[in-house]
Amino acid sequence: MLHESETPLQRDQLLNQLDQHITKASEKGGRIALLVFNLQHFREINIDFGHHFGDSVLKQVAQCIQGALRPNDRLFHIGSDEFAVLVTDLKAYQIVQLATEKILSSITSNQSISGQVLSLSAQAGAAVYPDHADNRDDLLRAADSALSSARKKRLKYVIYDASRRQQEELRAKLKGDLREALKNNDLMFHYQPQIDLRQGIVSGCEALIRWPHETQGWISPEIFIAVAEESELIEELTYWSFNIIMREWRQSFAEVPSASIAINLSAALLHSREIADQVNRSINIWGIRPASLVLEVTESAMMVDPAIALKTLNALHEMGVKISIDDFGTGYSSLAYLKKLPVSELKIDKSFVLHMTEDRKDREIVQSIIDLAHNLHMHVVAEGIENLQTMNLLKEMGCDYGQGFYIARPMPAANIPAYLDTVHRESPGAADDEISA
Ligand code: C2E
Ligand code: MG
Ligand code: MG
């Protein structure tokens, strides 16, 4: 740590000064810029040369930055390897870029510290009040977000992008709308039938969430599930969905007691202790046979923390619920884990199925997944079947179950009894020869 007398101002002082200068700027209609700097490889310097030497580095960097500042600018040491500069009374927007570049070049030149020549480098993020944020916390967040984007893109610096703020605002608005929709029961499910390819009979269906947004129309679940996953909303949405799906499935599939119901489980919940209890509760309320419930999880979700995922999946498996790996082939499954996980089904991602009749490589991948599943005593489902040729080919290749627009599009629960009536009379998918996405 640096000694107090040698340090630039600290983080809490930055918060104070931000408050003061934002108030002043808002009264005068002025602007201020917040620049944050991260010294690269500081951890390694500490490890290689010791903390005492690390402190000397920080002291020297602080002096370099100080030398590059104008008299009214303020320097703060806000984290072990992070500095912030407050540029008050910003006369022109271009000064943000000039000041950031000047400070970065003052740090990055070769430094001689305690007789040791070091080549230091730093990255920066910058944000401006009121262009990018209208209060202290948002300004800090914007500058941090610009710095993190510089890190990700391996750039020297990034100035916060106002369109990014717009995107964040849109996302926040969507989250609010989603919360309301959940409260008002505006979300619903459509069900897509799956068929047993060998026998040509309906084996079950997958529940797919739908949101008819008041002004934006149908929003893709991929978009709003990702928004829900950013907060606790995903738990509320998931527990709510278990009850709706199980109730609707009981009503619509009363005639086919052996049918299964597949529910997509968000990656965010695979690491929740509560999930098995919630599933258990809903199963009991709706009198569902656990074995008829299939929970679809993606490979990447399981690989975030395989040990915890294994615990959750084992708890569900012990209840008799089946686990399916969705979008198989697109993530990074470790075969070592696949062997340990209580998985009973692999679901081949539609990206391999859609063009498999023309693309030899896709066909070979599909065949490999079918063989892998069977060798591990799992069954295999192909999604994205859009024509008869693909369905027949999958049947020949030994795929067990199929799902896709050719067989049936996702439909409201109320349409399922009529659909089942039709397929009892003719074979599924026979009505159309080809359906495009
Ligand atoms: P998924 O679980 O892989 O679902 C399959 C997606 O493929 C669905 O898109 C379905 O409508 C679409 N699809 C079905 N047959 C065909 C076909 O023949 N061709 C093509 N091109 N597409 C087909 P959807 O409904 O837009 O859902 C997208 C994703 O959103 C799902 O992918 C799933 O990851 C997620 N999702 C949907 N509902 C839920 C839910 O209730 N909870 C969670 N956590 N995620 C959900
Ligand atoms: Mg799925
Ligand atoms: Mg899928």
Side-chain angles (χ1 to χ4, degrees), residues 188-190 192 206-210 219-225 229 234 237-238 241 245 263-267 269 296 298 326-327 347 349-350 354 383-387 403-410 435-437:
M188 60 183 84
F189 284 88
H190 281 184
Q192 188 175 34
E206 176 178 9
L208 295 160
I209 198 162
R210 294 290 178 262
I219 300 182
S220 159
E222 270 157 322
I223 294 176
F224 70 83
I225 291 289
E229 280 173 344
I234 189 63
L237 189 150
T238 306
S241 73
I245 296 168
I263 302 182
N264 291 285
L265 191 60
S266 154
L269 288 175
E296 295 190 3
T298 59
D326 204 355
D327 305 342
K347 209 165 169 185
D349 189 67
K350 59 176 174 290
L354 286 171
E383 61 175 25
I385 302 179
E386 292 192 352
N387 54 53
Q403 179 182 342
F405 294 162
Y406 176 70
I407 295 159
R409 285 186 179 258
I435 296 174
S436 56

Side-chain angles (χ1 to χ4, degrees), residues 182 228 231-241 268-269 272 274 278:
L182 191 57
S231 67
E232 76 303 332
L233 202 55
I234 189 63
E235 303 198 3
E236 206 183 315
L237 189 150
T238 306
Y239 304 152
W240 167 86
S241 73
L269 288 175
S272 148
E274 250 195 271
Q278 288 288 346

Side-chain angles (χ1 to χ4, degrees), residues 141-287:
R141 208 169 297 133
D144 278 342
S145 144
L147 174 59
S148 117
S149 148
R151 281 204 192 108
K152 271 190 222 142
K153 296 178 184 159
R154 295 174 191 272
L155 294 172
K156 280 188 179 166
Y157 66 90
V158 165
I159 296 174
Y160 191 74
D161 176 3
S163 67
R164 208 179 144 123
R165 185 182 181 199
Q166 260 178 1
Q167 277 170 18
E168 280 168 14
E169 277 172 4
L170 283 175
R171 260 179 118 74
K173 162 91 173 63
L174 202 62
K175 196 180 287 179
D177 289 355
L178 184 58
R179 193 167 275 128
E180 276 300 298
L182 191 57
K183 217 162 57 196
N184 301 335
N185 264 328
D186 291 341
L187 298 168
M188 60 183 84
F189 284 88
H190 281 184
Y191 298 86
Q192 188 175 34
Q194 294 180 341
I195 61 163
D196 179 322
L197 287 171
R198 243 163 281 132
Q199 303 184 50
I201 55 167
V202 177
S203 55
C205 62
E206 176 178 9
L208 295 160
I209 198 162
R210 294 290 178 262
W211 180 17
H213 188 277
E214 239 184 345
T215 54
Q216 297 178 43
W218 298 96
I219 300 182
S220 159
E222 270 157 322
I223 294 176
F224 70 83
I225 291 289
V227 167
E229 280 173 344
E230 288 168 5
S231 67
E232 76 303 332
L233 202 55
I234 189 63
E235 303 198 3
E236 206 183 315
L237 189 150
T238 306
Y239 304 152
W240 167 86
S241 73
F242 286 163
N243 285 309
I244 303 288
I245 296 168
M246 291 188 203
R247 189 192 69 211
E248 293 194 324
W249 178 79
R250 274 213 55 154
Q251 289 162 357
S252 331
F253 274 86
E255 313 263 306
V256 195
S258 61
S260 62
I261 171 74
I263 302 182
N264 291 285
L265 191 60
S266 154
L269 288 175
L270 205 51
H271 304 99
S272 148
R273 286 160 190 259
E274 250 195 271
I275 198 76
D277 289 346
Q278 288 288 346
V279 170
N280 201 14
R281 208 164 297 154
S282 305
I283 281 180
N284 289 332
I285 293 174
W286 300 106

Side-chain angles (χ1 to χ4, degrees), residues 32-153:
I32 59 175
L34 176 65
L35 323 177
V36 287
F37 296 86
N38 173 256
L39 196 58
Q40 291 174 284
H41 311 302
F42 183 62
R43 232 172 91 86
E44 287 94 320
I45 294 175
N46 265 333
I47 293 169
D48 292 347
F49 300 101
H51 286 266
H52 188 66
F53 184 82
D55 281 353
S56 309
V57 171
L58 290 177
K59 213 162 82 183
Q60 184 144 330
V61 168
Q63 278 167 5
C64 292
I65 300 179
Q66 198 72 59
L69 300 185
R70 297 174 319 165
N72 286 337
D73 300 340
R74 293 276 170 278
L75 172 64
F76 304 85
H77 182 216
I78 55 170
S80 78
D81 52 1
E82 278 197 3
F83 291 90
V85 168
L86 188 57
V87 180
T88 58
D89 196 17
L90 189 70
K91 294 275 189 279
Y93 196 81
Q94 295 87 310
I95 291 180
V96 181
Q97 184 177 350
L98 293 175
T100 311
E101 284 177 358
K102 191 170 165 200
I103 295 168
L104 280 174
S105 67
S106 79
I107 304 171
T108 40
S109 47
N110 277 347
Q111 306 268 6
S112 166
I113 299 161
S114 312
Q116 189 82 36
V117 177
L118 278 186
S119 148
L120 294 177
S121 57
Q123 284 174 301
V128 177
Y129 166 89
D131 306 60
H132 303 143
D134 55 13
N135 62 66
R136 178 189 81 180
D137 292 341
D138 284 351
L139 187 63
L140 274 166
R141 208 169 297 133
D144 278 342
S145 144
L147 174 59
S148 117
S149 148
R151 281 204 192 108
K152 271 190 222 142
K153 296 178 184 159

